[in-house]
Amino acid sequence: MKLGFREGILYDDRRLDWDAAGPRPVRWSLWYPAADDAQECEIQERSWFRKAAVARDAPIRPSDRPYPLVLLSHGTGGSAAGLEWLARRLVDRGFAALGVDHHGNTGSEPYRAEGFACLWERAPDLSLMLDRCRDWLGHLAGRIDADRVFAVGFSAGAYSVMLLLGAVTQFSQFERSRLKPGGPRGPREFPDLADHIPSLLRTSDVFRESWFRMSQSYRDDRITAAVLCAPGRSVLSFGAESLTAVVAPALILVGDADKAAPAEECSCWLHERLTRSALKILGGGLGHYVFVPEGTGLGMAFAAELFTDPPGIERGAVHDEIAALSAALFHDGDGSAIGRTKKAPFPGL
């Protein structure tokens, strides 16, 4: 199937950017089935990631019914491009996929401590895309079904998706009272994050207002099922009562050798507290970054640790399995494959 691609930017007038200079920007990327006669071209930009050829702004492939939509939320410091590997595989399975770059917490712009500390601001980015679907659909209106919506998040993106499902944050893992002696003071991409929070609370109105929204509900009932890839420690901040109240089915996927977000500490913890979840631990010594794309020569030169897997592991094959499991859940529609309790079987698990 030909891979269509569009990109653009929206602005959220309800929230300021971190400089308080204007509305919050939400950059987006859309992958969709393109018409059979569309012309695909290789992406020319230099990238750490291997990417498939795309038919930019091509007409959509005719279909008897609109294509269901999958929202994508990248990991800490990443970008929508980091989930292109999943987007194109979902397109092959009859979906459209829409990813956003989360302002201040994305590699598509300079990192901001505010964006890394206030992870709850990521969830409204995704809701905005549904609120403003006419603004980005363009000539694809009527061909993509914004009423059949699913979500996939990786690492901090899994936290974002859980917010959309109804989880509510009780605290920040980087508050002084939550830091463990000798423990991390921030993620890999912003290791001194905790040290910035006190000064930001004193000097930034935008940050302070966001900080006070920490425990707000960001539930969006338009999201009917979700896949959570290697959820990070940020999920430990969710209130138990809010997790019990989550009704949408969720599939949790994690590598058995994930050191950044250990399966037992994060994924298993979350699974035990959700009513309708399934958990699959991917074996073979797989780490956290098996959920990022395969690397180019440039990527291997600058960050080989992101693209190196154990001997005998083909990352592309792992990605095929993840996409197949995701599509199975989404095609199921109401999550009956997971069932009303987590004890029910799920295909492939």
Side-chain angles (χ1 to χ4, degrees):
M1 186 178 294
K2 299 290 183 67
L3 182 63
F5 179 73
R6 299 185 71 201
E7 61 184 341
I9 184 169
L10 295 180
Y11 293 92
D12 189 346
D13 294 329
R14 297 166 297 185
R15 296 179 292 161
L16 290 172
D17 66 20
W18 292 120
D19 288 320
R24 179 181 173 95
V26 182
R27 299 182 183 275
W28 56 267
S29 300
L30 175 70
W31 295 266
Y32 59 92
D36 291 339
D37 59 355
Q39 297 297 311
E40 292 181 316
C41 297
E42 296 292 335
I43 295 177
Q44 299 300 317
E45 66 191 42
R46 285 166 56 83
S47 174
W48 288 9
F49 305 147
R50 293 186 192 176
K51 299 178 183 178
V54 297
R56 187 176 289 270
D57 297 320
I60 198 166
R61 191 173 192 265
S63 174
D64 292 338
R65 60 183 304 190
Y67 297 101
L69 179 65
V70 182
L71 300 178
L72 305 176
S73 183
H74 63 73
T76 299
S79 66
L83 289 169
E84 180 270 354
W85 63 268
L86 179 58
R88 57 181 157 87
R89 285 171 167 86
L90 289 173
V91 168
D92 285 340
R93 290 165 170 83
F95 297 88
L98 178 71
V100 302
D101 293 354
H102 296 293
H103 173 51
N105 190 228
T106 173
S108 67
E109 60 183 49
Y111 286 167
R112 298 289 298 257
E114 301 96 320
F116 280 76
C118 300
L119 292 180
W120 44 89
E121 295 292 352
R122 296 163 51 113
D125 293 341
L126 297 165
S127 291
L128 177 75
M129 299 306 300
L130 297 181
D131 296 340
R132 303 261 302 272
C133 58
R134 291 184 180 179
D135 294 341
W136 54 267
L137 276 173
H139 67 275
L140 304 179
R143 304 295 186 90
I144 293 176
D145 193 346
D147 293 322
R148 281 192 296 159
V149 186
F150 312 101
V152 180
F154 163 55
S155 194
Y159 168 91
S160 307
V161 170
M162 280 303 308
L163 290 173
L164 294 176
L165 297 187
V168 175
T169 302
Q170 288 188 322
F171 58 85
S172 165
Q173 61 180 316
F174 298 115
E175 292 179 54
R176 284 181 171 176
S177 61
R178 298 287 173 177
L179 295 175
K180 298 178 181 179
R185 304 184 67 80
R188 173 183 181 274
E189 298 81 2
F190 215 116
D192 64 343
L193 177 61
D195 301 327
H196 293 261
I197 293 175
S199 62
L200 286 169
L201 285 170
R202 291 193 306 270
T203 61
S204 171
D205 290 340
V206 178
F207 180 81
R208 190 162 50 250
E209 290 170 6
S210 175
W211 195 258
F212 292 149
R213 290 196 296 268
M214 180 192 302
S215 296
Q216 180 177 316
S217 174
Y218 296 99
R219 180 169 176 156
D220 191 328
D221 288 330
R222 292 172 292 189
I223 314 302
T224 56
V227 175
L228 312 171
C229 299
R233 291 184 174 90
S234 52
V235 301
L236 304 179
S237 66
F238 290 142
E241 185 175 341
S242 71
L243 292 177
T244 302
V246 171
V247 296
L251 170 62
I252 305 171
L253 303 174
V254 63
D256 62 339
D258 192 326
K259 296 180 180 179
E264 188 65 34
E265 182 179 350
C266 301
S267 293
C268 295
W269 182 94
L270 185 60
H271 172 57
E272 286 302 314
R273 286 160 177 79
L274 292 174
T275 304
R276 300 183 66 194
S277 66
L279 170 66
K280 183 175 179 62
I281 299 177
L282 305 171
L286 299 182
H288 195 62
Y289 297 107
V290 74
F291 293 97
V292 304
E294 296 177 85
T296 62
L298 185 67
M300 291 296 293
F302 282 93
E305 68 276 11
L306 300 184
F307 307 108
T308 303
D309 299 309
I313 295 294
E314 292 185 20
R315 185 170 294 194
V318 177
H319 288 172
D320 288 341
E321 180 182 7
I322 294 167
L325 290 169
S326 301
L329 173 61
F330 300 153
H331 278 307
D332 176 53
D334 64 355
S336 59
I338 285 181
R340 293 296 170 186
T341 72
K342 67 185 67 179
K343 295 181 175 61
F346 181 79
L349 274 72

